[in-house]
Amino acid sequence: HNLEMKHLPGADPELVLLSLRYEELERIPLSDMTREEINQLVQELGFYRKETPDAPVPEEFQFAPAKSLPILLPPQAPTADGKTPPKCDKEEHPDL
């Protein structure tokens, strides 16, 4: 769930992790990995594997990967009083 394969002829395979805003979080090269290693990596990242393509996805996995990843947020501009707004807590996701 929430994992899309795109074949780009001539390009080295890599896993590109995106935020809910489609901002790139990380690129992981896959060239030197076996199929089993890639499956293990995707599982460790918290992606949900459906039993069948049309199977429902549990609510807790709707925004997979389920594990917290660093969220890239644009720098915050100071407010009118010159103070910078507080940053979100690591566990708090600004898009949810």
Side-chain angles (χ1 to χ4, degrees), residues 1 3 5 15 28-30 32-50 65 67:
H1 178 67
L3 186 66
M5 167 76 175
L15 177 62
I28 303 170
L30 303 175
D32 297 330
M33 297 176 78
T34 65
R35 174 185 221 119
E36 291 78 23
E37 290 171 329
I38 293 170
N39 286 335
Q40 180 67 31
L41 171 65
V42 171
Q43 184 178 7
E44 288 172 0
L45 288 171
F47 285 93
Y48 178 77
R49 184 174 184 154
K50 297 190 282 186
K67 295 185 179 181

Side-chain angles (χ1 to χ4, degrees), residues 14-17 24-29:
E14 59 187 355
L15 177 62
V16 181
L17 301 174
E24 186 177 312
L25 298 174
E26 185 177 357
R27 284 182 180 259
I28 303 170

Side-chain angles (χ1 to χ4, degrees), residues 1 16 19 26 29 34 41 44 50-51 55-56 59 64 66 71 74 76-77 81 84 93-94:
H1 178 67
V16 181
S19 72
E26 185 177 357
T34 65
L41 171 65
E44 288 172 0
K50 297 190 282 186
E51 294 294 324
E59 188 175 330
I71 299 167
Q76 300 258 339
D81 62 2
T84 302
H93 195 293

